[in-house]
Amino acid sequence: MNTPLISITIDQREPYFPGETLLGEYQIDGARTEDLLAVELSVLWYTEGKGDEDLGVHFFERQNQETTFGESLGTMRRFSTVLPWSPLSYQGWLVKIVWCVRVRVFLRGGKDFFEELRFQLGMVPQPPALAMAAVSPEDLEGGSDAEDDTPS
């Protein structure tokens, strides 16, 4: 059984804005159709950084043998979805909101593989670099363990 090669492309118009249509396509090579149990396509967001991770699925489509595997997966499959109003992509210092298109392949025997392609939704300003350099993570968490050497 070969490892499937997953490729994803989206129309490169970044950043995308809420209400716009995201168009793309994906392709799976290197796996025989009879080895596939299911293929899932998702357009989703998730958080990275400190604290609990959150995830939201905006668009989801699952294919299996009974639905659409009849033809070769080596051909490009198109998808589209209208993007939501929130949450917008964000590249903060402590937390990031990441949007992506993810294709996940489930093989007979229990193995699964995925590939994702990130994109930007919206134009949230980045945190100022100077402010980031002046504040340490300990300052944001309520102080540091360093001794205060200020004379009293």
Side-chain angles (χ1 to χ4, degrees):
M1 187 176 307
N2 295 331
T3 301
L5 302 172
I6 305 166
S7 60
I8 306 167
T9 60
I10 57 175
D11 294 348
Q12 296 297 318
R13 294 183 295 137
E14 290 196 56
Y16 289 91
F17 291 97
E20 284 188 331
T21 299
L22 175 73
L23 297 170
E25 49 192 18
Y26 67 95
Q27 179 180 28
I28 300 166
D29 287 321
R32 299 180 315 174
T33 302
E34 56 268 18
D35 292 336
L36 300 174
L37 192 60
V39 176
E40 294 177 348
L41 168 71
S42 304
V43 177
L44 58 95
W45 62 268
Y46 59 87
T47 59
E48 291 181 338
K50 292 200 171 244
D52 294 335
E53 292 184 10
D54 291 319
L55 179 136
V57 177
H58 170 68
F59 176 82
F60 179 80
E61 179 180 274
R62 182 180 172 99
Q63 299 177 25
N64 57 35
Q65 291 287 358
E66 291 78 32
T67 57
T68 57
F69 278 1
E71 60 191 69
S72 169
L73 288 173
T75 59
M76 297 299 274
R77 294 175 182 263
R78 293 202 52 82
F79 63 91
S80 69
T81 184
V82 176
L83 295 168
W85 293 97
S86 67
L88 301 178
S89 299
Y90 181 69
Q91 296 293 316
W93 194 28
L94 295 177
V95 69
K96 296 175 178 33
I97 299 174
V98 177
W99 276 92
C100 71
V101 175
R102 181 181 290 169
V103 173
R104 194 168 184 181
V105 175
F106 297 88
L107 299 178
R108 297 192 185 283
K111 288 189 175 183
D112 67 281
F113 302 88
F114 76 92
E115 185 70 37
E116 67 180 35
L117 178 63
R118 294 179 176 196
F119 64 93
Q120 182 177 344
L121 176 60
M123 292 285 291
V124 176
Q126 303 297 317
L130 292 175
M132 289 176 44
V135 179
S136 70
E138 292 81 19
D139 292 337
L140 296 174
E141 293 176 350
S144 70
D145 295 329
E147 294 284 329
D148 182 8
D149 57 358
T150 306
S152 28

